[in-house]
Amino acid sequence: MSDRESGTYDVVGIGFGPSNLSLAVALEEHRANGTENQISSLFLERQASFGWHRNMLLPSATMQISFLKDLATFRNPTSSFSFIAYLHAVGRLPQFVNNQDFFPTRQEFHQYLEWAQARVAERVAYGSEVRSIRLPSDAEPERADHLRVEVVDATGRGVRTIEARNVVISTGLVPSMPEGVERDERVWHSSEFLERFRRTDPRELCRVAVAGAGQSAAEIARFLYDELPHAEVYAVVPSYGYSIADDSPFANQIFDPSAVDDYYFGTEQTRDAFWRYHSNTNYSVVDDDVIRGLYRRWYDDEVRGVRRLEFLNLTRVADVKRLGAETRVILHKGPDAEVRELAVDALVCATGYDAMEPTGLLGDLDRFCLRGEAGRYRVERDYRIATAPELRCGIYLQGGTEHTHGLTSSLLSNLAMRSGEILDSIVARRVPRDAGSPVLAKAGGELG
Ligand code: FDA
Ligand code: NAP
């Protein structure tokens, strides 16, 4: 264990994607303000270096939020960690403004995130996968003033334990495959796409299929069509055709910071309305320009009498069979699930993600975490899991709170505000070093 990992941290962040990077920025600004209440922190990330959905950094893919929804601006418009500060630092601010586009490419935003993480890197341990969080074995819960975070080190230092007064779990979305379909050398999930694609000889990819009607599927279908001019590309689309992502101004308000309160303190009916009316802002939908670009490619081929981009609509992947080197995709079409088999050289399942689920990490600690009627965690407004009173340490979630805090839970839109709220909560609940019991923040409503 290095020196900086000894002692007990006020905060240990688990996972270091944009969510916990934003928290590290909030902590850095708190420190720089010279407040008395300094908060010690360490962030643990299993990847060897910073990476934000690297396998989907496709050449022309753009962000799905405004550049102003960066790591800090909504919380602190004068932050030196803003996207504008980044542009200024790299000497590209005038050119960015001339481009008149609110939506940078994902590659440019990735460079921004890398620039920001480099400024807080001394508080991050990369190559560190958290396996479990538990109470110290020698302490009763009510006496424990810290949790133990067990980390497996990718650099061969074995297992080590880190002590934390609070943990902030932010391990991200979990890739979801069609039921019963396993990944292998030629059956990929979109989350591993570029790595798999680069490892495969393109000459071996003459018939490829992409399953799904979301942004990932459309971007991958476009990429494969452009990168493999010799190949036939099959898009397996459950709907009649790709649907547009609604990012019009009124609908976009559901991603405003104030919408979190409307959702959290709203009735069951209010929360239901968010999902019923506005799922099409994010799930199974595609940006307008990507849809039009794909249609354009297909139409131009029609004019030329070429057929190499085929849309199999009202169709789902039901199974995959492996016959020697051949991959056979079993498709179900329409209401009667008419069966069709498609032989391909590779199938990409852009079939989405499940929400973050921390139960596995929490292990035995889970019995102190309160759950609502639907069996999901009760989460306070400050993103802390509601726990039995004897557990004094805080377990915060960045992600996995769709049921309590709404649609922004898995997105970037509200990162800056959410990180600030978590920091405020940790500061407010902090046990003064010489005092006996923790200062408990006022609990907000608790939802099931
Ligand atoms: P994220 O998944 O980014 O990070 C989690 C981190 O935890 C990872 O680095 C992972 O390695 C690490 N980790 C996991 N388990 C661990 C363990 N046990 N120990 C240690 N580390 C562990 N949203 C949006 O608002 N606008 C957008 O433009 C996009 N674009 C976008 C593109 C693509 C391709 C996808 C798949 C998703 C998006 N999203 C998005 C949604 C996406 O959830 C969001 O951009 C962020 O990735 C959320 O950041 P997090 O830090 O919460 O998770
Ligand atoms: P998604 O929106 O959840 O879409 C998954 C798609 O897979 C749905 O259309 C789903 O259809 C379909 N599907 C599921 N099972 C299937 C099966 N067996 N056969 C065929 N299709 C099946 O997932 P996503 O596209 O990966 O997007 C996830 C998140 O990442 C979103 O927030 C998105 O905005 C974001 N993203 C952003 C960018 C970017 O910023 N440029 C790029 C990619 C993704 P049903 O709904 O009918 O099940």
Side-chain angles (χ1 to χ4, degrees):
M1 189 191 296
S2 71
D3 286 348
R4 71 191 167 96
E5 289 184 0
S6 57
T8 303
Y9 290 93
D10 292 312
V11 188
V12 167
I14 298 170
F16 198 62
S19 297
N20 269 345
L21 171 54
S22 175
L23 178 61
V25 166
L27 282 159
E28 179 59 27
E29 294 186 342
H30 179 78
R31 189 194 61 75
N33 279 342
T35 1
E36 278 170 34
N37 253 331
Q38 289 302 327
I39 303 282
S40 57
S41 63
L42 178 69
F43 291 87
L44 302 163
E45 167 56 49
R46 68 180 172 194
Q47 295 184 86
S49 60
F50 184 83
W52 175 55
H53 301 299
R54 274 186 188 277
N55 286 318
M56 282 295 292
L57 283 182
L58 304 175
S60 47
T62 58
M63 294 298 294
Q64 296 200 292
I65 49 161
S66 156
F67 68 91
L68 291 167
K69 293 187 175 179
D70 58 24
L71 296 166
T73 296
F74 270 38
R75 175 177 43 77
N76 174 13
T78 61
S79 172
S80 72
F81 283 89
S82 68
F83 187 75
I84 289 179
Y86 156 75
L87 289 172
H88 185 257
V90 298
R92 222 170 37 235
L93 183 55
Q95 294 88 331
F96 181 83
V97 173
N98 289 340
N99 203 37
Q100 298 185 19
D101 193 342
F102 260 46
F103 304 95
T105 61
R106 289 199 60 239
Q107 284 180 339
E108 184 175 25
F109 206 77
H110 199 280
Q111 287 173 14
Y112 156 65
L113 296 174
E114 285 181 311
W115 167 85
Q117 73 79 34
R119 295 174 58 195
V120 295
E122 62 177 22
R123 285 196 254 130
V124 188
Y126 286 104
S128 301
E129 177 161 354
V130 173
R131 289 289 166 87
S132 69
I133 309 164
R134 56 182 173 79
L135 285 164
S137 47
D138 52 355
E140 291 300 313
E142 53 272 29
R143 288 182 177 277
D145 68 353
H146 68 270
L147 300 171
R148 290 199 171 165
V149 179
E150 270 188 8
V151 186
V152 176
D153 203 313
T155 57
R157 285 189 295 173
V159 179
R160 63 195 199 282
T161 304
I162 291 163
E163 296 180 359
R165 293 189 184 89
N166 298 281
V167 291
V168 183
I169 303 177
S170 183
T171 49
L173 295 165
V174 182
S176 163
M177 293 289 285
E179 206 182 326
V181 174
E182 300 288 334
R183 303 188 206 185
D184 66 21
E185 281 307 302
R186 292 300 173 91
V187 179
W188 314 331
H189 186 266
S190 54
S191 58
E192 55 183 349
F193 175 67
L194 276 179
E195 194 187 341
R196 290 286 195 176
F197 180 78
R198 287 181 189 132
R199 264 199 264 152
T200 311
D201 182 346
R203 288 169 304 185
E204 292 179 14
L205 297 174
C206 298
R207 275 162 79 89
V208 290
V210 185
Q215 184 73 16
S216 298
E219 286 183 8
I220 290 172
R222 179 180 65 177
F223 175 88
L224 289 172
Y225 179 89
D226 292 348
E227 292 293 310
L228 301 173
H230 57 283
E232 290 168 25
V233 179
Y234 293 85
V236 181
V237 178
S239 52
Y240 200 74
Y242 300 110
S243 291
I244 201 163
D246 183 353
D247 68 346
S248 55
F250 289 108
N252 218 46
Q253 293 180 124
I254 58 156
F255 301 116
D256 290 355
S258 58
V260 176
D261 280 336
D262 291 335
Y263 191 95
Y264 190 87
F265 297 110
T267 60
E268 201 55 53
Q269 199 184 10
T270 318
R271 286 191 283 277
D272 184 52
F274 271 78
W275 292 104
R276 197 150 40 91
Y277 293 113
H278 301 297
S279 289
N280 69 342
T281 52
N282 186 47
Y283 298 94
S284 299
V285 286
V286 182
D287 284 348
D288 184 42
D289 61 321
V290 181
I291 294 179
R292 290 183 192 284
L294 270 174
Y295 197 86
R296 181 88 241 169
R297 284 164 175 78
W298 174 84
Y299 185 77
D300 287 349
D301 277 354
E302 285 286 303
V303 172
R304 290 203 308 265
V306 175
R307 190 151 268 209
R308 68 179 201 89
L309 180 56
E310 197 161 333
F311 298 96
L312 308 177
N313 69 0
L314 301 175
T315 304
R316 303 182 76 85
V317 168
D319 200 359
V320 176
K321 282 187 194 149
R322 170 54 36 102
L323 297 171
E326 196 176 272
T327 302
R328 282 188 170 268
V329 186
I330 316 300
L331 302 171
H332 284 182
K333 179 171 171 104
D336 302 328
E338 179 194 321
V339 179
R340 171 181 172 181
E341 281 192 24
L342 183 69
V344 294
D345 300 311
L347 166 70
V348 188
C349 293
T351 44
Y353 295 81
D354 294 326
M356 184 182 95
E357 176 42 85
T359 312
L361 282 181
L362 292 173
D364 191 44
L365 259 187
D366 192 59
R367 69 192 160 96
F368 298 102
C369 299
L370 308 184
R371 291 178 184 264
E373 274 170 24
R376 294 175 300 201
Y377 289 118
R378 288 167 59 188
V379 186
E380 310 282 5
R381 176 61 183 82
D382 61 2
Y383 300 95
R384 194 169 45 87
I385 296 182
T387 53
E390 60 265 35
L391 189 75
R392 295 158 59 191
C393 299
I395 303 168
Y396 292 82
L397 301 180
Q398 296 223 64
T401 59
E402 285 82 357
H403 60 297
T404 48
H405 293 69
L407 276 80
T408 51
S409 294
S410 69
L411 301 175
L412 304 178
S413 338
N414 197 40
L415 285 193
M417 294 298 288
R418 182 172 69 196
S419 297
E421 288 165 359
I422 291 175
L423 171 61
D424 288 348
S425 167
I426 289 169
V427 171
R429 287 171 42 83
R430 196 162 187 234
V431 189
R433 290 276 182 262
D434 50 355
S437 62
V439 183
L440 291 176
K442 274 187 193 156
E446 293 176 351
L447 305 168

